[in-house]
Amino acid sequence: DAGVIQSPRHEVTEMGQEVTLRCKPISGHNSLFWYRQTMMRGLELLIYFNNNVPIDDSGMPEDRFSAKMPNASFSTLKIQPSEPRDSAVYFCASTQSGQPFSGNTIYFGEGSWLTVV
Amino acid sequence: GEDVEQSLFLSVREGDSSVINCTYTDSSSTYLYWYKQEPGAGLQLLTYIFSNMDMKQDQRLTVLLNKKDKHLSLRIADTQTGDSAIYFCAEMNNNAGNMLTFGGGTRLMVKP
């Protein structure tokens, strides 16, 4: 299996521009998570989808952030307009929820390293 | 809400054992995980333990869980320079969805 695939791996953009991060979860997984990692705040859960439906978006920092999951194999996290304080690593992760013990493992992508200047 | 705490830094000599500790507050945690993050890379799942277990061994890794004290540890035997990384403890409460709550990470430095 190819694992969780994220793109772009690195992006540098100017303040005010729109940023779109993409994620392809592991085939067969029905839960998808977006996390943000910064030095100051560590790993924070932004939003969580189950069967393509957003379940908990309480971690989304503000209205500039939005996430979609149009189908089981694709999700996007969009920041519009971007600000320098959005600079972070954004991780996508997936799992097959509802499985017994051995199946509840969450796998992470390699991350999208965003710098807003 | 749930809280997961780890010490920031650990330094050991190559060949020694490393013990990374973690405490958590959610008594309903179902699974507890250890992830490894190397510089510039994503999070790699190392191992996990179900909350009704108190120990799990996987090659050089030993996980100990003290559910009464809400304390989790990861022991790495015969630590190698390639083990230098940040190690994250995480807990999951199945009753709250499949979300992971992470600790702040422990940076392990292995000296030759």
Side-chain angles (χ1 to χ4, degrees):
Chain A
D1 199 314
V4 177
I5 299 173
Q6 292 187 245
S7 65
R9 284 279 281 132
H10 298 274
E11 177 150 348
V12 180
T13 191
E14 289 187 347
M15 183 173 66
Q17 296 297 305
E18 178 180 292
V19 173
T20 300
L21 308 178
R22 298 173 178 80
C23 175
K24 182 179 187 309
I26 292 174
S27 177
H29 282 187
N30 64 347
S31 293
L32 183 141
F33 309 83
W34 283 101
Y35 281 87
R36 177 171 70 175
Q37 185 180 34
T38 60
M39 288 290 293
M40 292 297 294
R41 300 172 71 92
L43 278 157
E44 304 171 277
L45 177 66
L46 299 179
I47 187 168
Y48 154 47
F49 292 88
N50 195 40
N51 294 322
N52 312 340
V53 176
I55 303 299
D56 186 343
D57 65 354
S58 58
M60 296 285 263
E62 45 197 278
D63 292 345
R64 298 184 297 106
F65 285 70
S66 62
K68 294 182 180 178
M69 192 164 185
N71 58 62
S73 58
F74 183 66
S75 176
T76 59
L77 177 68
K78 189 174 289 189
I79 309 172
Q80 167 64 19
S82 57
E83 296 183 3
R85 60 194 169 114
D86 302 330
S87 298
V89 185
Y90 291 82
F91 287 106
C92 178
S94 71
T95 190
Q96 175 60 45
S97 63
Q99 289 291 315
F101 173 43
S102 63
N104 246 7
T105 305
I106 296 182
Y107 294 93
F108 282 75
E110 289 291 299
S112 291
W113 301 68
L114 173 65
T115 303
V116 183
V117 298
Chain B
E2 301 86 4
D3 197 19
V4 180
E5 300 276 347
Q6 298 178 240
S7 53
L8 285 176
F9 188 75
L10 177 66
S11 177
V12 300
R13 293 216 171 270
E14 191 173 19
D16 288 350
S17 292
S18 308
V19 179
I20 302 171
N21 294 301
C22 170
T23 58
Y24 60 97
T25 57
D26 186 359
S27 57
S28 300
S29 292
T30 315
Y31 304 105
L32 295 127
Y33 300 82
W34 284 104
Y35 283 86
K36 176 184 180 183
Q37 185 179 32
E38 296 182 15
L43 279 80
Q44 173 196 354
L45 177 68
L46 283 180
T47 187
Y48 56 88
I49 189 167
F50 192 43
S51 58
N52 69 354
M53 300 169 65
D54 51 24
M55 179 178 140
K56 179 179 179 182
Q57 186 150 5
D58 184 0
Q59 299 182 342
R60 291 191 298 123
L61 305 179
T62 303
V63 178
L64 295 177
L65 174 61
N66 182 329
K67 197 172 179 182
K68 173 176 169 290
D69 295 339
K70 300 191 190 68
H71 182 267
L72 181 75
S73 68
L74 174 70
R75 179 177 180 271
I76 307 173
D78 187 25
T79 314
Q80 304 297 306
T81 54
D83 295 324
S84 294
I86 301 176
Y87 290 80
F88 290 92
C89 166
E91 66 93 17
M92 177 195 289
N93 181 344
N94 268 138
N95 297 325
N98 288 322
M99 297 175 289
L100 288 175
T101 301
F102 283 89
T106 299
R107 182 177 296 275
L108 174 65
M109 178 180 290
V110 182
K111 299 177 184 175

